[in-house]
Amino acid sequence: MRVGVIDYGVGNLGSVIRALEELSVKPVLVTRAVDLHTVDSLILPGVGNFADCAKLLNDSGWVEPLRQEVHVASKPLLGICLGMQLLATTSMEGIADNASNGVVGLNFIPGRVENLRTLGCNLRIPHVGWNAVTSHTKVGGLFDGIPDGTDFYFVHSYVFVPDSPDHVLATTMYEVPVTAAVRSGHIWGTQFHPEKSSRAGFRLLRNFIENPTC
């Protein structure tokens, strides 16, 4: 299994690569969109501002090759943190006018990205730290072997709100319900950082690598 880590100019690449190496997987750093076809599955990291990252993906020519590999070739994809949010249709992060329809994302999983404040959260933002995650699937999948209530490490101010609740794979509570993971077929995303979430995070990455379409 050749796991490609997408390097489009941002992202917590070092820790993702080290986590994969700990799992005895030799990650492939994909620095050019034309090389996406050379790997078996893809990880899309992301840190920073949605608008900036979306612009980098567009300006560097990643969007259409990603669509070809994920939608046409059915290549498994895991988005991490902002990488998960980029799977959405639009985001309200990075826009000057809140009346705008938002910044356009990849639209791999229909939905919008909203600020925690907009969702009614009055706790400190950004949300940084360990939170218990509850999976909405009981057998197999990305959370196979991971008990409900296991803590994962979060760093974020915005939240992915899928159009369909069927795409919500797991949730956490930060005063308000927060989407912790999403899924649509062979496309997955985690708001938390599995590569920084100790043993449970490594188990989740192994689940994705070993059975990414389960």
Side-chain angles (χ1 to χ4, degrees):
M1 170 70 71
R2 289 169 56 83
V3 181
V5 180
I6 300 171
D7 180 6
Y8 58 103
V10 298
N12 196 23
L13 301 179
S15 59
V16 173
I17 289 170
R18 286 192 295 273
L20 293 173
E21 289 172 342
E22 285 287 328
L23 296 170
S24 299
V25 173
K26 187 175 181 180
V28 178
L29 191 63
V30 183
T31 59
R32 304 187 306 165
V34 294
D35 294 328
L36 288 171
H37 72 282
T38 65
V39 296
D40 302 303
S41 60
L42 294 164
I43 293 179
L44 178 65
V47 294
N49 180 284
F50 186 104
D52 292 342
C53 290
K55 187 175 189 302
L56 276 172
L57 284 174
N58 276 290
D59 291 352
S60 301
W62 287 95
V63 174
E64 189 52 37
L66 270 171
R67 286 177 177 151
Q68 287 294 316
E69 292 301 317
V70 173
H71 287 315
V72 179
S74 298
K75 192 158 291 183
L77 171 68
L78 173 65
I80 295 176
C81 196
L82 182 57
M84 177 182 106
Q85 295 178 6
L86 287 166
L87 303 177
T89 309
T90 58
S91 173
M92 301 306 290
E93 183 179 16
I95 63 170
D97 180 5
N98 286 334
S100 165
N101 290 327
V103 180
V104 175
L106 292 169
N107 196 29
F108 285 179
I109 299 180
R112 67 190 188 281
V113 177
E114 299 277 2
N115 191 281
L116 277 163
R117 289 275 183 260
T118 305
L119 299 179
C121 179
N122 295 303
L123 301 179
R124 182 163 55 180
I125 296 176
H127 166 212
V128 180
W130 296 81
N131 266 66
V133 170
T134 300
S135 171
H136 291 197
T137 58
K138 299 305 179 187
V139 179
L142 206 60
F143 289 88
D144 183 41
I146 301 172
D148 273 353
T150 297
D151 286 345
F152 288 87
Y153 186 73
F154 290 80
V155 183
H156 65 114
S157 300
Y158 284 76
V159 176
F160 188 176
V161 183
D163 287 350
S164 171
D166 292 341
H167 291 150
V168 178
L169 180 63
T171 54
T172 190
M173 286 295 298
Y174 191 63
E175 188 177 23
V176 297
V178 170
T179 303
V182 293
R183 179 195 181 182
S184 178
H186 58 285
I187 303 170
W188 312 78
T190 63
Q191 182 60 67
F192 52 83
H193 287 271
E195 78 283 5
K196 295 183 177 181
S197 294
S198 192
R199 189 172 300 174
F202 279 32
R203 175 59 188 260
L204 185 143
L205 288 172
R206 184 178 294 282
N207 288 340
F208 170 71
I209 292 164
E210 293 184 348
N211 197 5
T213 58
C214 62

